[in-house]
Amino acid sequence: MIRAKMAQFAKLAAALVLSFAGSLPAHAESGWGLLNMTQGVTEISRKIYDLHMEIFWICVIIAVIVFGAMIWSIVTYRKSKGAVADVTLVHNTKVELIWTTIPVVILVFMAVPAARTLVEIEDTTKTDLSIKVTGFQWGWQYDYLDSGVAYFSRLDRKSDAARELMSGIDPTTVDHYLLSVDKPLVVPVGMKVRLLITGADVIHSWWVPAFGVKKDAIPGFVNEAWFKVDTDKPGLYRGQCAELCGRDHGFMPIVVDVRSKADFEAWLKDKAAEQKQAAAPPAAAPDVATAAAAG
Amino acid sequence: MAEQHAHAAEHDDHDHKPHGWRRWVYATNHKDIGTMYLIFACTMFFIGGAMAMVIRLELFKPGMQFVDPQFFNSMTTMHALMMIFGAVMPAWTGLANWMIPLQVGAPDMALPRLNNFSFWILPFAFTLLLSSLFVPGGAPAGGWTMYPPLVLQNGASFPMLIFSIHLMGASSILGAINVVVTIMNLRAPGMTLLRMPLFVWTWLITAYLLIAVMPVLAGAVTMLLTDHFFGTTFFTAAGGGDPVMFQHIFWFFGHPEVYILILPAFGIVSEIIPTFSRKPLFGYEAMVYATASIAFLSFIVWAHHMFTVGMPLAAQLFFMLSTMLIAIPTGVKVFNWTTTMFRGSLTFEPPMLFAIAFLFLFSIGGFSGLMLAIVPADYQYQDTYFVVAHFHYVLVPGAIFGIMAGVYYWLPKWVGNMYDQTLAKWHFWLSTIFVNVLFFPQHFLGLAGMPRRIPDYAVQFTDWNMVSSIGGFGFGLAQLLFPYLIWKCVKSGERVVGNKAWEGAHGLEWELPSPAPYHSWGTPPSETMIARGAAH
Amino acid sequence: MTDFKRANLSMTWKLLAIALGAFGFGFALVPLYNVLCSVTGYGDQTKLLQRVKAIEHPDPSRTVTIEFLADVASSGGWDFRPVVRTIEVHPGQIYSAEFIAHNLTGHASTAQAVPNIAPSMVAAYFHKTECFCFSPQHFALNEERKMPVRFIVDPALPKHVDRITLAYTFYDESSRVSSAR
């Protein structure tokens, strides 16, 4: 019994250490192992991860030094051990100057790579595909600007049923509880996808951690963001709305289905044909309010 | 010694105070008003804490078990408003009321009737805010940051929210004016600015911050009010307004506000560490200048709360760099506190324990703050549990521990009795352990991708949420010791012998008898007392 | 009256004067803004046209994509879209584009289009000489009509910008405040 507990504890401790060293796979399935930021599947998300780790380690080093000094002082200068206070130690210009200057140098070391990455993130030129993303209460609307394909994306039915108050449905039995949608956003690998993000009613925020993209969807304003998924990383990537947007803020996930270029082209063609056939009024200005009410 | 006794005797005679309810409703005595502020803050702390328990209970496991999502949002919103405006700010004002006159050698606060008014606004403000829980549509649920357009969707509670914020703002401004006037005009002769205790210094700077930014908040919420009821469009694109402008105005208030919550804690820690190290504070002047620079910087960093709204590149770089600069004066403070303990003679009574925990845990909050300043990384942290962990680390083991350290430090001076130190140590250890169990896992949750302000979550976040909830319940229960301890101390604590409750204590408050007489410093303290107090 | 009381009274008057002054200042802002606009030329159509004349030197060597977006605020009831989704333009030349709006609200209504440029830093280089967004547009029941916008891109546009998005959000008079849910 105790042994098993010990083993569990050791495993936990090891997981802690390992994940902070950044060596655990980014998509560990067990909850205990989820300790760190994902490295993601884009160049930018990896750069963000590297920045995060760099600053984390700088903080750890500073913490070891400062906390070490505190603990050492606490242990060494106890009155119970006969320590006598040195009341003359009240001021030391040299030391104070040093510990004001050193942090400045460290900050410069942090700021330079951060600024460089930021400049890259903000470069929204030379994109291959534009998608308008509209956040509404509570879901997302995707609008492929070049082909006219447009549709809504909402929490899938199973999660929606299970999340009702005292639904009696065990969330663990639902596949990707609260992180799956009826119709995911479909994008190709290796292309620079530009998102034009806006809100229909209140402010939302479109966030997919694996892409390193989080941008607010503000009614009346258009924000730009972009991502370019590695060619060898097709798959499903999940995120959530990251700005409080009312009652069902917690229930408007984002799922992005990243496919190969050929698959994507085929999907887009089918979708366009399907929408033409439906012969519904053009999707340029769907009535979001009724859609939201229906959902 | 003789002069103190003479002093005490002189005061005992004219100790008349009104009795019964009049003493409190008509209160003009700084000690009575300070006591009321502290009791009020404690009450709000437990109400806000109960709301936090509801939040942690619902988040114990995935699935909605107890509350409706709208009510959950009301809980997060109200918890923040209660804790910030109801618990921490009044607690600081209470401590300021009690201690500033004692510490600067003044007979009372400079504006006693204003003092009464600024306190008695608060119960009305919070009754109004809390009663919104019972109106149709429920309590405000748009977050304490009140971002439009979401906040405009609140029903009947919306005007109640706005009006209660106005009242809280008025109360804070009046309290702050009182502090400034007292410190500027009522210092005893010989108590020069650079001889003032650091608690007084930090409060002076805090008071200026309050006077500068509370009107900004009042203006922002008034614009919300007119947008909702009078057809203006300050924050609506339809009429040429901009919802993001609200965020700019709000955080121009909001960032100085977080320093309003923490600066007095810096002051208290700067009093307690020297006392229990039996050694003067290291770098007193550097501490004063560091506090002032933090206050100044707090006005030019606001947009780091909103990096994801889509600001121009130059603005993002500016706010990133200015935010990082705050690390420098904050670092100076931490180094100075550490050096104060270095080559001291340390003992670990409850106030010192809380101050040391403050040092460690506030630093952790500082580190995550530095990480949050890095814009590209902030895109991943923004609005996740990482942010929740960060600000709770600076506010709970920061501001709240600072308040508790202050109460444990000065309680013997207030009531003349020593509290049960063993029980207080239990309170300390339980609080410190559980606060980490509660908030440390939230760093993991945020990094792993759990957004904040959600009532339910994906199953992979279950494990750490359970740990966090257990920590939450433990922390909440441990706090019940605090009022019990105070009550027991008042009722049946052991009498404090002499003026000093702590061997290494310095400062004018320790030149007065314990309990401090109802009217203290009717005649100003002597130069020797001031010199003895300002031992730096 | 004692000196003390007199001092208090004069302080009261001073405070009242400040309060009244602050209140009056709110109303004084209207003429003050007019002065500000006439001095800076902000929002002045003739000044804008002068500036447009000054930058009207087409630069055929450079092409920028202009993308049009149309949104209807959450109240719905309108069909609103650009006639063409994108056009290629040369900086320094005036172009025009059209948007179509169809009133499906079931009653005559007035709507206001609110423009927005992305990326936002480009807004300073994008000038609309004529736009349906300059004033509220009245629509009869079921009326559908095309509305023009004329614009010019400043040749001083930073070199790396290759695409500008001009987005309009269409607000009808009922949608000023989104309703409570």
Side-chain angles (χ1 to χ4, degrees), chain A residues 124-127 130 132 134 137-138 143 145 148 194 196 198 200-201 219-222 224 282 284-285 287 289 292, chain C residues 67 69-81 85 114 116 118-119 160-163 165 167 169 171 178 181:
Chain A
T124 52
T125 60
K126 299 195 184 65
T127 50
S130 292
K132 194 176 102 180
T134 310
Q137 285 174 318
W138 289 273
D143 191 343
L145 291 175
R194 185 173 68 131
L196 290 159
T198 188
D201 32 41
F221 292 82
V222 176
E224 283 183 301
D287 185 349
Chain C
E67 190 170 34
L69 286 189
D71 256 310
V72 178
S74 53
S75 60
W78 293 82
D79 179 17
F80 176 54
R81 60 179 195 272
R85 282 186 175 271
V114 176
N116 187 228
H160 68 273
V161 178
D162 60 355
R163 187 183 271 267
T165 305
T169 312
Y171 290 91
S178 41
R181 267 163 209 274

Short mmCIF file of all heavy atoms in Angstrom, two decimals, chain A residues 124-127 130 132 134 137-138 143 145 148 194 196 198 200-201 219-222 224 282 284-285 287 289 292, chain C residues 67 69-81 85 114 116 118-119 160-163 165 167 169 171 178 181:
data_model
loop_
_atom_site.label_atom_id
_atom_site.label_comp_id
_atom_site.label_asym_id
_atom_site.label_seq_id
_atom_site.Cartn_x
_atom_site.Cartn_y
_atom_site.Cartn_z
N THR A 124 1.44 39.90 -41.41
CA THR A 124 0.29 39.19 -41.99
C THR A 124 0.29 39.25 -43.52
O THR A 124 -0.73 39.04 -44.16
CB THR A 124 -1.02 39.80 -41.48
OG1 THR A 124 -0.97 41.21 -41.69
CG2 THR A 124 -1.23 39.52 -40.02
N THR A 125 1.44 39.53 -44.13
CA THR A 125 1.47 39.63 -45.59
C THR A 125 1.76 38.27 -46.22
O THR A 125 2.11 37.31 -45.54
CB THR A 125 2.56 40.63 -46.03
OG1 THR A 125 3.81 40.16 -45.55
CG2 THR A 125 2.29 42.00 -45.47
N LYS A 126 1.60 38.25 -47.55
CA LYS A 126 1.90 37.05 -48.37
C LYS A 126 1.18 35.82 -47.86
O LYS A 126 1.77 34.76 -47.64
CB LYS A 126 3.41 36.79 -48.40
CG LYS A 126 4.18 37.94 -49.02
CD LYS A 126 5.59 37.53 -49.37
CE LYS A 126 6.39 38.69 -49.89
NZ LYS A 126 6.61 39.76 -48.88
N THR A 127 -0.14 35.96 -47.69
CA THR A 127 -0.91 34.80 -47.23
C THR A 127 -1.50 34.08 -48.43
O THR A 127 -1.66 34.65 -49.50
CB THR A 127 -2.03 35.24 -46.28
OG1 THR A 127 -2.75 36.31 -46.89
CG2 THR A 127 -1.47 35.73 -44.97
N SER A 130 -7.59 33.19 -47.17
CA SER A 130 -8.20 34.07 -46.16
C SER A 130 -9.51 33.48 -45.68
O SER A 130 -10.36 33.11 -46.48
CB SER A 130 -8.47 35.46 -46.73
OG SER A 130 -7.26 36.11 -46.99
N LYS A 132 -12.66 34.29 -42.93
CA LYS A 132 -13.23 35.19 -41.93
C LYS A 132 -13.81 34.36 -40.80
O LYS A 132 -14.53 33.39 -41.04
CB LYS A 132 -14.31 36.06 -42.56
CG LYS A 132 -14.69 37.22 -41.65
CD LYS A 132 -15.68 38.14 -42.30
CE LYS A 132 -17.06 37.85 -41.75
NZ LYS A 132 -18.10 38.68 -42.30
N THR A 134 -16.09 34.61 -37.41
CA THR A 134 -16.98 35.47 -36.64
C THR A 134 -17.42 34.74 -35.39
O THR A 134 -18.02 33.67 -35.47
CB THR A 134 -18.22 35.87 -37.48
OG1 THR A 134 -17.77 36.34 -38.74
CG2 THR A 134 -19.02 36.95 -36.78
N GLN A 137 -22.62 34.38 -29.92
CA GLN A 137 -23.07 33.69 -28.73
C GLN A 137 -23.90 32.48 -29.15
O GLN A 137 -25.05 32.66 -29.57
CB GLN A 137 -23.90 34.63 -27.85
CG GLN A 137 -23.01 35.63 -27.11
CD GLN A 137 -23.82 36.66 -26.35
OE1 GLN A 137 -24.81 37.16 -26.86
NE2 GLN A 137 -23.41 37.02 -25.16
N TRP A 138 -23.43 31.23 -29.15
CA TRP A 138 -22.13 30.79 -28.73
C TRP A 138 -21.61 29.78 -29.73
O TRP A 138 -21.99 28.61 -29.68
CB TRP A 138 -22.21 30.19 -27.33
CG TRP A 138 -22.46 31.24 -26.30
CD1 TRP A 138 -21.50 31.99 -25.67
CD2 TRP A 138 -23.70 31.69 -25.76
NE1 TRP A 138 -22.09 32.88 -24.77
CE2 TRP A 138 -23.44 32.71 -24.81
CE3 TRP A 138 -25.03 31.37 -25.99
CZ2 TRP A 138 -24.43 33.39 -24.10
CZ3 TRP A 138 -26.02 32.05 -25.28
CH2 TRP A 138 -25.70 33.04 -24.34
N ASP A 143 -15.93 31.60 -42.84
CA ASP A 143 -16.32 32.11 -44.14
C ASP A 143 -15.06 32.12 -45.02
O ASP A 143 -14.16 32.93 -44.81
CB ASP A 143 -16.86 33.54 -43.92
CG ASP A 143 -17.55 34.09 -45.14
OD1 ASP A 143 -17.34 33.54 -46.22
OD2 ASP A 143 -18.29 35.08 -44.99
N LEU A 145 -13.22 33.24 -47.78
CA LEU A 145 -13.49 34.43 -48.58
C LEU A 145 -13.28 34.18 -50.07
O LEU A 145 -13.96 34.78 -50.89
CB LEU A 145 -12.61 35.58 -48.11
CG LEU A 145 -12.99 36.10 -46.71
CD1 LEU A 145 -12.02 37.15 -46.25
CD2 LEU A 145 -14.41 36.65 -46.71
N GLY A 148 -16.27 31.46 -51.16
CA GLY A 148 -17.66 31.69 -50.76
C GLY A 148 -18.25 30.61 -49.87
O GLY A 148 -19.42 30.67 -49.51
N ARG A 194 -4.68 33.12 -43.45
CA ARG A 194 -4.94 34.37 -42.75
C ARG A 194 -6.36 34.35 -42.21
O ARG A 194 -7.30 33.99 -42.92
CB ARG A 194 -4.78 35.55 -43.69
CG ARG A 194 -4.92 36.88 -42.98
CD ARG A 194 -4.59 38.02 -43.90
NE ARG A 194 -5.60 38.13 -44.94
CZ ARG A 194 -6.20 39.28 -45.26
NH1 ARG A 194 -5.87 40.38 -44.64
NH2 ARG A 194 -7.10 39.30 -46.20
N LEU A 196 -9.42 36.56 -40.55
CA LEU A 196 -9.96 37.89 -40.28
C LEU A 196 -11.01 37.68 -39.20
O LEU A 196 -12.06 37.08 -39.47
CB LEU A 196 -10.56 38.48 -41.54
CG LEU A 196 -9.52 38.87 -42.58
CD1 LEU A 196 -10.13 38.95 -43.95
CD2 LEU A 196 -8.84 40.17 -42.22
N THR A 198 -13.66 38.61 -36.25
CA THR A 198 -14.57 39.65 -35.77
C THR A 198 -15.65 39.01 -34.90
O THR A 198 -15.77 37.78 -34.85
CB THR A 198 -15.16 40.45 -36.95
OG1 THR A 198 -15.88 41.57 -36.43
CG2 THR A 198 -16.10 39.60 -37.78
N ALA A 200 -19.83 39.06 -33.55
CA ALA A 200 -21.16 39.46 -34.00
C ALA A 200 -21.93 40.19 -32.91
O ALA A 200 -22.75 41.04 -33.18
CB ALA A 200 -21.95 38.24 -34.45
N ASP A 201 -21.67 39.84 -31.65
CA ASP A 201 -22.49 40.40 -30.57
C ASP A 201 -21.63 40.96 -29.44
O ASP A 201 -21.70 42.14 -29.13
CB ASP A 201 -23.45 39.34 -30.05
CG ASP A 201 -22.86 37.94 -30.15
OD1 ASP A 201 -21.67 37.80 -29.85
OD2 ASP A 201 -23.58 37.00 -30.52
N PRO A 219 -16.81 42.97 -31.93
CA PRO A 219 -17.88 43.41 -32.82
C PRO A 219 -17.58 44.78 -33.43
O PRO A 219 -17.21 45.71 -32.71
CB PRO A 219 -19.12 43.46 -31.92
CG PRO A 219 -18.63 43.38 -30.53
CD PRO A 219 -17.30 42.70 -30.57
N GLY A 220 -17.71 44.87 -34.75
CA GLY A 220 -17.46 46.15 -35.43
C GLY A 220 -16.02 46.34 -35.84
O GLY A 220 -15.70 47.33 -36.50
N PHE A 221 -15.15 45.43 -35.44
CA PHE A 221 -13.73 45.58 -35.78
C PHE A 221 -13.20 44.26 -36.33
O PHE A 221 -13.73 43.20 -36.01
CB PHE A 221 -12.92 46.01 -34.56
CG PHE A 221 -13.27 47.40 -34.13
CD1 PHE A 221 -14.38 47.62 -33.33
CD2 PHE A 221 -12.52 48.48 -34.55
CE1 PHE A 221 -14.74 48.91 -32.96
CE2 PHE A 221 -12.87 49.75 -34.19
CZ PHE A 221 -13.97 49.97 -33.39
N VAL A 222 -12.20 44.36 -37.16
CA VAL A 222 -11.63 43.15 -37.75
C VAL A 222 -10.17 43.02 -37.30
O VAL A 222 -9.39 43.96 -37.45
CB VAL A 222 -11.70 43.20 -39.29
CG1 VAL A 222 -11.01 41.99 -39.89
CG2 VAL A 222 -13.13 43.26 -39.75
N GLU A 224 -6.58 40.67 -37.46
CA GLU A 224 -5.91 39.71 -38.33
C GLU A 224 -5.02 38.78 -37.52
O GLU A 224 -4.40 39.20 -36.55
CB GLU A 224 -5.02 40.44 -39.33
CG GLU A 224 -5.76 41.08 -40.46
CD GLU A 224 -4.77 41.72 -41.43
OE1 GLU A 224 -4.03 42.60 -40.99
OE2 GLU A 224 -4.76 41.33 -42.60
N PRO A 282 -27.30 33.54 -50.48
CA PRO A 282 -25.84 33.49 -50.38
C PRO A 282 -25.37 33.66 -48.94
O PRO A 282 -25.99 34.35 -48.14
CB PRO A 282 -25.37 34.66 -51.25
CG PRO A 282 -26.58 35.39 -51.67
CD PRO A 282 -27.77 34.53 -51.45
N ALA A 284 -23.02 35.17 -47.70
CA ALA A 284 -22.22 36.35 -47.35
C ALA A 284 -22.73 37.03 -46.08
O ALA A 284 -21.97 37.56 -45.32
CB ALA A 284 -22.24 37.34 -48.49
N ALA A 285 -24.04 36.99 -45.88
CA ALA A 285 -24.56 37.66 -44.69
C ALA A 285 -25.58 36.80 -43.97
O ALA A 285 -26.75 37.09 -43.94
CB ALA A 285 -25.19 38.98 -45.08
N ASP A 287 -27.80 35.13 -41.16
CA ASP A 287 -28.45 35.77 -40.02
C ASP A 287 -28.00 35.10 -38.74
O ASP A 287 -28.50 34.06 -38.34
CB ASP A 287 -29.96 35.64 -40.20
CG ASP A 287 -30.69 36.41 -39.11
OD1 ASP A 287 -30.03 36.84 -38.15
OD2 ASP A 287 -31.89 36.55 -39.22
N ALA A 289 -28.20 35.95 -35.63
CA ALA A 289 -29.05 35.94 -34.43
C ALA A 289 -29.98 34.73 -34.43
O ALA A 289 -30.08 34.02 -33.44
CB ALA A 289 -29.85 37.21 -34.36
N ALA A 292 -28.01 31.59 -33.83
CA ALA A 292 -27.62 31.39 -32.43
C ALA A 292 -28.82 30.95 -31.62
O ALA A 292 -28.71 30.09 -30.76
CB ALA A 292 -27.05 32.68 -31.87
N GLU C 67 -9.56 43.89 -50.15
CA GLU C 67 -10.53 42.84 -49.88
C GLU C 67 -11.71 43.48 -49.17
O GLU C 67 -11.52 44.29 -48.28
CB GLU C 67 -9.85 41.84 -48.95
CG GLU C 67 -10.54 40.57 -48.72
CD GLU C 67 -9.59 39.63 -47.98
OE1 GLU C 67 -8.79 40.12 -47.17
OE2 GLU C 67 -9.66 38.44 -48.22
N LEU C 69 -15.18 43.19 -46.94
CA LEU C 69 -15.96 42.34 -46.04
C LEU C 69 -17.22 43.08 -45.66
O LEU C 69 -17.21 44.29 -45.49
CB LEU C 69 -15.18 42.05 -44.75
CG LEU C 69 -14.02 41.10 -44.79
CD1 LEU C 69 -13.57 40.82 -43.37
CD2 LEU C 69 -14.40 39.81 -45.47
N ALA C 70 -18.29 42.33 -45.51
CA ALA C 70 -19.53 42.95 -45.07
C ALA C 70 -20.14 42.11 -43.97
O ALA C 70 -20.23 40.89 -44.09
CB ALA C 70 -20.50 43.05 -46.25
N ASP C 71 -20.53 42.75 -42.90
CA ASP C 71 -21.10 42.07 -41.75
C ASP C 71 -22.39 42.76 -41.35
O ASP C 71 -22.49 43.97 -41.49
CB ASP C 71 -20.15 42.21 -40.55
CG ASP C 71 -19.41 40.93 -40.30
OD1 ASP C 71 -20.06 39.90 -40.24
OD2 ASP C 71 -18.17 41.01 -40.17
N VAL C 72 -23.32 41.99 -40.85
CA VAL C 72 -24.53 42.60 -40.31
C VAL C 72 -24.49 42.39 -38.80
O VAL C 72 -24.21 41.30 -38.33
CB VAL C 72 -25.79 41.96 -40.91
CG1 VAL C 72 -27.03 42.57 -40.29
CG2 VAL C 72 -25.79 42.13 -42.41
N ALA C 73 -24.75 43.46 -38.06
CA ALA C 73 -24.75 43.34 -36.60
C ALA C 73 -25.81 42.35 -36.17
O ALA C 73 -26.74 42.05 -36.92
CB ALA C 73 -25.01 44.70 -35.97
N SER C 74 -25.71 41.86 -34.94
CA SER C 74 -26.42 40.66 -34.53
C SER C 74 -27.93 40.71 -34.70
O SER C 74 -28.58 39.68 -34.71
CB SER C 74 -26.09 40.35 -33.08
OG SER C 74 -26.34 41.50 -32.30
N SER C 75 -28.52 41.89 -34.87
CA SER C 75 -29.98 41.92 -34.97
C SER C 75 -30.47 41.31 -36.28
O SER C 75 -31.61 40.89 -36.39
CB SER C 75 -30.47 43.35 -34.89
OG SER C 75 -29.89 44.09 -35.94
N GLY C 76 -29.61 41.24 -37.30
CA GLY C 76 -29.99 40.57 -38.55
C GLY C 76 -30.99 41.38 -39.35
O GLY C 76 -31.13 42.59 -39.19
N GLY C 77 -31.71 40.68 -40.23
CA GLY C 77 -32.74 41.35 -40.99
C GLY C 77 -32.25 42.08 -42.23
O GLY C 77 -33.02 42.79 -42.88
N TRP C 78 -30.99 41.93 -42.55
CA TRP C 78 -30.45 42.59 -43.72
C TRP C 78 -29.62 41.61 -44.52
O TRP C 78 -28.98 40.72 -43.95
CB TRP C 78 -29.54 43.77 -43.33
CG TRP C 78 -30.28 44.88 -42.68
CD1 TRP C 78 -30.64 44.96 -41.37
CD2 TRP C 78 -30.75 46.07 -43.30
NE1 TRP C 78 -31.30 46.12 -41.13
CE2 TRP C 78 -31.39 46.83 -42.31
CE3 TRP C 78 -30.71 46.57 -44.62
CZ2 TRP C 78 -31.97 48.06 -42.57
CZ3 TRP C 78 -31.27 47.81 -44.87
CH2 TRP C 78 -31.91 48.54 -43.86
N ASP C 79 -29.65 41.80 -45.84
CA ASP C 79 -28.68 41.12 -46.67
C ASP C 79 -27.70 42.19 -47.11
O ASP C 79 -28.10 43.18 -47.71
CB ASP C 79 -29.39 40.46 -47.87
CG ASP C 79 -28.40 39.76 -48.77
OD1 ASP C 79 -27.28 39.51 -48.32
OD2 ASP C 79 -28.76 39.46 -49.93
N PHE C 80 -26.45 42.02 -46.79
CA PHE C 80 -25.47 43.07 -47.05
C PHE C 80 -24.19 42.41 -47.53
O PHE C 80 -23.65 41.54 -46.85
CB PHE C 80 -25.25 43.85 -45.74
CG PHE C 80 -24.19 44.92 -45.83
CD1 PHE C 80 -24.25 45.90 -46.81
CD2 PHE C 80 -23.14 44.95 -44.91
CE1 PHE C 80 -23.28 46.89 -46.88
CE2 PHE C 80 -22.18 45.94 -44.97
CZ PHE C 80 -22.24 46.91 -45.96
N ARG C 81 -23.74 42.76 -48.75
CA ARG C 81 -22.53 42.12 -49.25
C ARG C 81 -21.86 42.98 -50.30
O ARG C 81 -22.50 43.85 -50.92
CB ARG C 81 -22.89 40.75 -49.85
CG ARG C 81 -23.87 40.83 -50.99
CD ARG C 81 -24.18 39.46 -51.56
NE ARG C 81 -24.84 39.62 -52.84
CZ ARG C 81 -26.15 39.75 -53.00
NH1 ARG C 81 -26.93 39.76 -51.94
NH2 ARG C 81 -26.67 39.90 -54.20
N ARG C 85 -15.59 40.63 -54.28
CA ARG C 85 -14.92 40.39 -53.01
C ARG C 85 -13.55 41.05 -52.92
O ARG C 85 -13.16 41.52 -51.87
CB ARG C 85 -14.77 38.88 -52.78
CG ARG C 85 -16.05 38.26 -52.30
CD ARG C 85 -15.83 36.81 -51.95
NE ARG C 85 -17.03 36.23 -51.38
CZ ARG C 85 -17.29 36.26 -50.07
NH1 ARG C 85 -16.46 36.83 -49.25
NH2 ARG C 85 -18.39 35.71 -49.62
N VAL C 114 -20.50 50.90 -40.53
CA VAL C 114 -19.32 51.37 -39.81
C VAL C 114 -18.09 50.71 -40.42
O VAL C 114 -18.00 49.49 -40.44
CB VAL C 114 -19.42 51.05 -38.31
CG1 VAL C 114 -18.15 51.45 -37.60
CG2 VAL C 114 -20.61 51.76 -37.71
N ASN C 116 -14.07 49.70 -41.16
CA ASN C 116 -12.93 49.26 -40.36
C ASN C 116 -11.87 48.73 -41.32
O ASN C 116 -12.19 48.03 -42.27
CB ASN C 116 -13.41 48.16 -39.41
CG ASN C 116 -12.35 47.74 -38.44
OD1 ASN C 116 -12.10 46.57 -38.25
ND2 ASN C 116 -11.69 48.70 -37.84
N ALA C 118 -8.22 46.69 -41.87
CA ALA C 118 -7.22 45.79 -41.27
C ALA C 118 -6.10 45.61 -42.29
O ALA C 118 -6.38 45.48 -43.47
CB ALA C 118 -7.85 44.44 -40.93
N PRO C 119 -4.85 45.59 -41.92
CA PRO C 119 -4.35 45.88 -40.59
C PRO C 119 -4.57 47.33 -40.20
O PRO C 119 -4.54 48.20 -41.06
CB PRO C 119 -2.85 45.55 -40.68
CG PRO C 119 -2.52 45.45 -42.12
CD PRO C 119 -3.77 45.30 -42.89
N HIS C 160 5.86 46.63 -47.35
CA HIS C 160 5.55 45.22 -47.16
C HIS C 160 4.05 44.91 -47.23
O HIS C 160 3.67 43.76 -47.30
CB HIS C 160 6.13 44.73 -45.82
CG HIS C 160 5.45 45.34 -44.63
ND1 HIS C 160 5.84 46.55 -44.10
CD2 HIS C 160 4.40 44.92 -43.90
CE1 HIS C 160 5.06 46.83 -43.07
NE2 HIS C 160 4.18 45.87 -42.93
N VAL C 161 3.21 45.95 -47.22
CA VAL C 161 1.77 45.67 -47.20
C VAL C 161 1.32 45.23 -48.58
O VAL C 161 1.52 45.94 -49.56
CB VAL C 161 0.98 46.92 -46.75
CG1 VAL C 161 -0.52 46.64 -46.79
CG2 VAL C 161 1.41 47.35 -45.37
N ASP C 162 0.74 44.05 -48.68
CA ASP C 162 0.29 43.56 -49.98
C ASP C 162 -1.22 43.37 -50.03
O ASP C 162 -1.76 42.99 -51.06
CB ASP C 162 1.01 42.26 -50.35
CG ASP C 162 0.74 41.15 -49.34
OD1 ASP C 162 0.08 41.42 -48.32
OD2 ASP C 162 1.20 40.01 -49.56
N ARG C 163 -1.89 43.60 -48.92
CA ARG C 163 -3.32 43.30 -48.87
C ARG C 163 -3.99 44.16 -47.81
O ARG C 163 -3.47 44.30 -46.70
CB ARG C 163 -3.49 41.83 -48.50
CG ARG C 163 -4.88 41.29 -48.55
CD ARG C 163 -4.86 39.86 -48.08
NE ARG C 163 -4.62 38.93 -49.17
CZ ARG C 163 -5.61 38.35 -49.87
NH1 ARG C 163 -6.85 38.59 -49.59
NH2 ARG C 163 -5.32 37.51 -50.84
N THR C 165 -7.76 45.02 -45.98
CA THR C 165 -9.14 44.59 -45.83
C THR C 165 -9.99 45.77 -45.41
O THR C 165 -9.69 46.44 -44.43
CB THR C 165 -9.25 43.48 -44.76
OG1 THR C 165 -8.36 42.44 -45.14
CG2 THR C 165 -10.66 42.96 -44.67
N ALA C 167 -13.58 46.47 -44.13
CA ALA C 167 -14.73 45.75 -43.59
C ALA C 167 -15.80 46.74 -43.17
O ALA C 167 -15.49 47.79 -42.60
CB ALA C 167 -14.30 44.90 -42.40
N THR C 169 -19.49 46.98 -41.02
CA THR C 169 -20.51 46.33 -40.21
C THR C 169 -21.76 47.19 -40.34
O THR C 169 -21.70 48.41 -40.20
CB THR C 169 -20.09 46.22 -38.74
OG1 THR C 169 -18.77 45.69 -38.69
CG2 THR C 169 -21.02 45.32 -37.98
N TYR C 171 -25.23 48.35 -39.11
CA TYR C 171 -26.06 48.42 -37.90
C TYR C 171 -27.37 49.08 -38.27
O TYR C 171 -27.37 50.19 -38.79
CB TYR C 171 -25.38 49.28 -36.84
CG TYR C 171 -24.15 48.65 -36.23
CD1 TYR C 171 -22.90 48.87 -36.77
CD2 TYR C 171 -24.26 47.86 -35.08
CE1 TYR C 171 -21.77 48.31 -36.20
CE2 TYR C 171 -23.13 47.31 -34.51
CZ TYR C 171 -21.89 47.53 -35.07
OH TYR C 171 -20.78 46.99 -34.49
N SER C 178 -27.15 45.53 -27.94
CA SER C 178 -27.55 44.15 -28.12
C SER C 178 -28.42 43.75 -26.93
O SER C 178 -28.13 44.09 -25.79
CB SER C 178 -26.34 43.24 -28.25
OG SER C 178 -25.37 43.62 -27.33
N ARG C 181 -29.92 38.58 -22.83
CA ARG C 181 -30.32 37.21 -23.05
C ARG C 181 -30.72 36.58 -21.74
O ARG C 181 -30.01 36.71 -20.78
CB ARG C 181 -29.14 36.42 -23.64
CG ARG C 181 -29.18 36.40 -25.12
CD ARG C 181 -27.82 35.99 -25.68
NE ARG C 181 -27.61 36.60 -26.98
CZ ARG C 181 -28.04 36.06 -28.11
NH1 ARG C 181 -28.69 34.94 -28.09
NH2 ARG C 181 -27.81 36.66 -29.25
#
